[in-house]
Every structure is written in structure tokens, then in C-alpha cells.
Amino acid sequence: MKSYFAYIRVSTVKQGEHGSSLQEQRDAIMNFAARNGLRISAWFEERETAAKIGRLEFTRMLKSLRKGAASGVIFHKIDRSARNLTDWSVVQDLAEQGVDVRFTQEAVNLGSNEGRLTGDFLAVIASHYIRNLREEVKKGMRGRLKQGIYPLAAPIGYLNNGGGKPKTPDPERAPFVRDAFHWYADGRYSLRTLRDELYARGFRTKNGKKVDANRLQQMLRNPFYIGIMYMKRSAESYIGVHEPLVSKAVFDRVQQNLDGKRNAVATSHAFLLRRMITCAHCPYRLIGERQKGYVYYRCHTRGCPTLTIREDQVIAVFKTRLRPLQLEAAEIDELREMVLARFNQKEAWRDEHTHALNLRMEAVRTRLSRLIDAYTDGMIEQPLFSEKKLSLLMEQKALEEERSLIARNQSDVTRTLDAILERLKNVPLSYENGNATDRRDFIKELTSNITADRKELDITLRSPFREIASVGDVLSGGLVRDEARTKRIQSVVEVLMKWCGPGGQTSSSPPYAPPLG
Ligand SMILES: [Zn+2]
């Protein structure tokens, strides 16, 4: 009795193929062998996964067959012997070399020209089918993405709820993820100190381990946490229906800090303004050094016109910028009353604002659909398309957040207002009274940008201090007449109205955040 090899292939990635499980293939081959009086001398079982490319068992079997270890081979079906036409030509070669190739489900005799033609024909159909199947799998993912459902495993802080359902916050880990974003946005942690802090407070991976710094960085970079699903392979992004864990404003600050940290080469922790001064000519931060009792910050780029700048000069400029923020205690109380009174009057203002936001969202949607048309018509290339789409989705997200902030109640308004007024009250003293860490925090809290250009310094205050200061610049100085004073107060009220009201804190520059706990 001639001996035959039996070959079985199952794939864990395929979908919609029926009747080809491992056991079904094995049974079919055993029945076929018994019916035809063939003896099976060895089984080769291939288990394919999406990650594994190639067919190890198939290659091993080929080697053996070429050495004449069996006179033939039995496959379940043609599509089990070949995944594509390249595979198929290998099977054809076997038959050419005199190996008896049999299929349990197809009566094809590869020993004859006619049989080969039939086999070719069936292989073409099989490979067409497999191609479609892959396309379907891809489409299945895209379909879900378009419904806002993430087709991959849940990122840390979320739970998987089965294929067709949105991810939901993991009650155990989501609070840590939120903390991680807020702490990192605050700028006081490095990835490593953040990792340790989270671990100390009980944050663990699913395996009960400390989250490593790389994974933490991936997490902080993932826009999934603000509700955007970014697919790495296709570089495409989609709006998710899952509940975001952080606001876009916080996410943006985290990205800025991550970018900043990457650029800071060697920073000493001793310097007050470390990583805070940007060079106007290079994308880098200035690096602190001590010389003859003075602290200097230097741009380390060779040949850069920004050489060094003295710390006390930076502080002097900073203090000048604060001068218009110095309001009297009575003025501050007056401001508080006026702002709150205006809020109480302005219910209609809320509707107006919502309406304006709806119009802006509509415009973004129109731009998005035009962009998709342009891409479909081949007017723009895929990388540009993906980039523009991501930025439009980001904009949409920001507008949605702004709209949800409109629902903020009066107590939120009061809290934000009081935090700002408290800051204003203490501006003259805060810097002088603090220790080094307090001073650094104070500068960070009030400035959004310090840029050095040669010997010139440009210090930008954070909103709303920037706006309040610019009112002061115009009106303060010398003897403030009553009329001018009233005008000034009115203008500051306008700024505070905008800022504390719905949507006030989602402006594009990093907003003022009351210090944590
Ligand atoms: Zn420079």
C-alpha cells in the first residue's frame, strides 16, 4: 500500500469559512483515505495566525516529499493547499515531479492536462475568494470604526465589552489614567517619576506590574483618551463613541510637555527656569549654568545668535509683565460682584453661544465631507488626507467640549472666577514670598511662553492674565481718573466673563489651571 501525507491548515484570522475546522478537515481526509485505500503515514497541521507569515509545516512537508518519503499528499480542498496562486504553482510543481496530489472535496487529477486546467481554475477562484475575505475583514474593521467602535483591544483604563460594543472606563484604572494626564500636564513629573508615583498609589497593569515608562508615554500620546481613535497602520483617525477620560485642553498640554522633554537633553533640576525658555532660532530650550555667582541660560546650538541670558534679567522682565495685574483688594471685590451679577442676567447669552457653536460645528462637518470627496476623487494624496482629517476631528472634538461646558452651572463659574481673583490678589507677594519650587510654579502658572532671541526676551502670560494685563497696559500708570478707572474695570469684567463662562477655558493656548489639591 502506498503511503500518503495528510496536510491540514487552519487559520485563526479567517472569518466566514465554514466546514473547515481542524477536526472536520481531519475526518474528511480519513474517510477519503479509507474509501480510496490510501495509507496515511504522517499528518502535517498548520495553524496560521495573523502575525505568522509563511507556512512552516508546509515547507517541512515539501522537503520530505522531495526526498521521496511518501508517494502522495492529501489535502482537504484546493483552498487548503494554496492561499494564493504562488502557493498553487508549488502544488502544481509537486504533481509535475510525480507526487500524487489528491483533494477530498474536488475530484481533480493533476496527472492529466485536463485535471491541471480544472485545478488551475479552482485555485484562481479560491485565491479570489481569499482576497475578498481579507478585504471583508478589513471592511469589517472599517465599518466598526465608522460607527465609532474601536476594533482592537481596549487601551489601559478601558474595558473590552465584546466586539460590537464601545469600550467603557475601567472603574479600577480609569481614575489613575485621569490623574496621570493631569499630573503630567502640570509639568512637575517626568515619565519615570510619574510611573513611580502611580505605582505607589496602586496603579497596576493587568498582570499586576508597574507600567513602564514607554507604555506610559504611549498612553499619554494616545488620543483615544479624548475620544479619537487613531489607527496606526492606516494612519487614519475616527471619532469614537466611547466616553473620553480627559479634555482636549489637558491632552494638548501633555503633548507639549512630552515634546519639550524630548528636546531637553541634559537638564539640571537646580535651575529655576529649566526647560522654560525657548530659543527663537532653534526648536530647543535653553540650558542653565552657573558662572561667577550668576545663573545663565544658554542655547546649545552651535552658531546660534541666542547665546546666553541671565536669570535675574528674565525675572526682571517677568515682574514688569506682572505690574498691570496688580489690582487693589477693593477693586477685586468689586470685580467679583460685577461678574456674578452679569452672569445672572445672562441666560440668553448661553443660547447665543450654543447657537454660534452649532454653526461652527456644522462648518467643520462640511469641511470634513469636502475633504473626503477630494480624497475619493483622487485630488489629494493619502498622507495629506489623513493629516487634515485628524486636525478636523481634533477641532470637532474641541467644539464638542466647548458645547458641553456651556452646561456648566453657576458654581463652576464661581469657582473658576475665585481661583483667578485669588491669584490676582496675591500677585505682588507670591513671587517674593515663595521658596524656589513655589517661584517656579508661580512662573509656570502665569506664563505660557518665554522666548529668548539674542538678548531680547519675550514673555507671554497665560490667558486670562494676558488679557487682563493688556487692559491694564492701556489704562494704568500715573493718576487714574475715575472715568478711566471705570473703563478699566469694565474691560476686565469682559475678560472674566469670557473666561469664566461656558467655553472660556478651551482657548487654544494652554489655560490657567488652579493648582492641584
Ligand atoms: Zn538657539
Side-chain angles (χ1 to χ4, degrees):
M1 203 193 248
K2 285 181 183 174
S3 76
Y4 282 76
F5 286 164
Y7 179 82
I8 295 172
R9 181 167 66 87
V10 283
S11 153
T12 59
V13 279
K14 56 134 182 44
Q15 289 180 356
E17 287 182 84
H18 298 291
S20 358
S21 79
L22 200 81
Q23 194 55 50
E24 283 165 314
Q25 291 187 49
R26 194 182 284 137
D27 289 348
I29 290 175
M30 289 210 291
N31 286 338
F32 179 83
R35 262 199 329 272
N36 293 279
L38 310 173
R39 188 175 68 85
I40 296 171
S41 61
W43 289 85
F44 294 83
E45 296 181 356
E46 196 91 56
R47 284 161 208 267
E48 285 186 318
T49 62
K52 206 171 82 185
I53 310 159
R55 299 194 292 169
L56 295 175
E57 283 301 290
F58 190 76
T59 315
R60 202 165 68 83
M61 183 180 77
L62 277 186
K63 261 192 190 158
S64 219
L65 277 172
R66 282 182 187 134
K67 283 184 197 152
S71 48
V73 53
I74 310 171
F75 296 102
H76 178 225
K77 284 165 79 175
I78 282 180
D79 75 23
R80 296 291 93 191
S81 75
R83 296 162 307 176
N84 50 49
L85 295 177
T86 318
D87 282 0
W88 177 246
S89 78
V90 175
V91 176
Q92 284 278 37
D93 284 347
L94 281 179
E96 209 84 51
Q97 287 155 23
V99 173
D100 188 6
V101 180
R102 307 282 195 101
F103 306 95
T104 68
Q105 306 295 304
E106 291 120 350
V108 174
N109 174 9
L110 294 185
S112 74
N113 274 339
E114 228 173 57
R116 276 199 285 270
L117 181 63
T118 314
D120 284 347
F121 187 63
L122 290 173
V124 167
I125 293 185
S127 106
H128 177 68
Y129 175 68
I130 289 169
R131 262 200 305 269
N132 282 344
L133 203 63
R134 291 214 179 106
E135 198 55 34
E136 283 308 307
V137 170
K138 266 197 233 159
K139 274 185 191 153
M141 271 176 63
R142 286 186 74 108
R144 277 193 198 163
L145 285 164
K146 280 184 180 151
Q147 288 165 31
I149 291 168
Y150 194 56
L152 305 175
I156 194 159
Y158 283 92
L159 296 174
N160 288 306
N161 299 306
K165 297 210 184 91
K167 316 290 183 208
T168 46
D170 172 355
E172 202 180 308
R173 293 188 187 82
F176 287 114
V177 172
R178 258 188 220 115
D179 285 348
F181 271 96
H182 283 103
W183 294 342
Y184 197 79
D186 215 34
R188 275 169 240 195
Y189 286 91
S190 69
L191 286 169
R192 287 173 59 194
T193 55
L194 182 64
R195 170 200 66 183
D196 294 342
E197 179 77 35
L198 288 166
Y199 185 75
R201 297 194 183 213
F203 187 45
R204 301 286 184 277
T205 65
K206 286 193 178 112
N207 307 323
K209 289 188 181 144
K210 191 190 269 195
V211 179
D212 67 59
N214 267 338
R215 182 108 186 267
L216 199 56
Q217 170 152 359
Q218 275 174 20
M219 183 185 101
L220 295 172
R221 288 277 190 206
N222 192 350
F224 191 84
Y225 296 101
I226 59 168
I228 288 176
M229 307 181 292
Y230 178 76
M231 304 302 289
K232 222 181 201 168
R233 190 165 292 184
S234 59
E236 277 248 42
S237 27
Y238 305 82
I239 292 274
V241 293
H242 59 278
E243 181 191 324
L245 292 185
V246 292
S247 72
K248 184 170 178 295
V250 168
F251 186 80
D252 288 348
R253 269 158 72 200
V254 166
Q255 306 317 302
Q256 281 176 359
N257 285 346
L258 283 170
D259 294 344
K261 293 244 157 88
R262 203 177 44 202
N263 290 338
V265 188
T267 48
S268 154
H269 284 263
F271 295 105
L272 180 68
L273 301 173
R274 64 180 182 276
R275 291 197 300 262
M276 286 173 66
I277 309 172
T278 312
C279 176
H281 301 271
C282 320
Y284 303 111
R285 308 288 167 104
L286 270 54
I287 293 171
E289 58 190 56
R290 218 176 288 275
Q291 265 182 38
K292 293 174 192 154
Y294 287 106
V295 172
Y296 291 87
Y297 294 87
R298 181 191 294 277
C299 178
H300 279 219
T301 304
R302 194 176 295 226
C304 179
T306 302
L307 289 172
T308 57
I309 197 141
R310 234 166 72 180
E311 185 173 284
D312 53 4
Q313 289 168 339
V314 182
I315 298 303
V317 175
F318 175 62
K319 285 183 178 166
T320 321
R321 301 288 283 113
L322 293 187
R323 205 167 294 149
L325 284 179
Q326 297 176 9
L327 294 153
E328 286 167 30
E331 282 180 316
I332 288 173
D333 291 343
E334 195 181 344
L335 275 173
R336 185 172 192 277
E337 265 172 41
M338 287 173 79
V339 171
L340 290 180
R342 287 274 294 276
F343 265 113
N344 290 334
Q345 290 167 9
K346 287 234 168 175
E347 271 304 307
W349 182 66
R350 185 173 292 212
D351 297 338
E352 248 171 60
H353 208 82
T354 312
H355 182 64
L357 276 175
N358 285 340
L359 290 179
R360 279 169 68 197
M361 286 180 76
E362 191 54 49
V364 170
R365 273 195 291 271
T366 310
R367 276 164 67 203
L368 201 55
S369 85
R370 273 196 205 129
L371 179 72
I372 290 167
D373 287 348
Y375 177 56
T376 324
D377 296 346
M379 316 256 294
I380 57 169
E381 299 291 324
Q382 199 263 339
L384 183 66
F385 169 70
S386 300
E387 190 192 318
K388 294 223 156 167
K389 185 176 171 198
L390 180 60
S391 91
L392 281 173
L393 291 183
M394 285 285 192
E395 202 177 327
Q396 186 178 331
K397 208 70 210 163
L399 290 170
E400 273 171 20
E401 275 181 18
E402 210 166 311
R403 201 170 51 176
S404 74
L405 277 172
I406 288 191
R408 287 206 310 183
N409 56 34
Q410 189 75 27
S411 78
D412 285 325
V413 170
T414 316
R415 203 169 54 223
T416 313
L417 178 66
D418 284 343
I420 293 166
L421 293 180
E422 189 59 30
R423 229 341 148 208
L424 286 177
K425 221 178 253 180
N426 295 320
V427 160
L429 297 172
S430 290
Y431 185 78
E432 303 303 337
N433 290 350
N435 61 27
T437 315
D438 295 337
R439 288 181 177 190
R440 182 171 162 80
D441 289 347
F442 180 72
I443 299 170
K444 275 195 160 182
E445 220 178 288
L446 269 84
T447 61
S448 64
N449 189 25
I450 305 177
T451 305
D453 182 353
R454 293 163 206 269
K455 290 281 168 198
E456 293 295 306
L457 263 178
D458 182 18
I459 297 184
T460 311
L461 296 181
R462 251 187 233 284
S463 288
F465 302 110
R466 182 174 63 231
E467 291 80 359
I468 297 173
S470 70
V471 172
D473 276 346
V474 176
L475 295 163
S476 77
L479 201 74
V480 182
R481 284 173 295 116
D482 270 358
E483 195 188 331
R485 184 187 162 277
T486 312
K487 256 190 177 170
R488 178 183 175 195
I489 292 285
Q490 286 291 348
S491 308
V492 177
V493 167
E494 290 302 326
V495 171
L496 290 173
M497 288 288 296
K498 258 192 210 140
W499 189 254
C500 302
Q505 295 210 43
T506 51
S507 87
S508 57
S509 71
Y512 169 70
L516 287 176

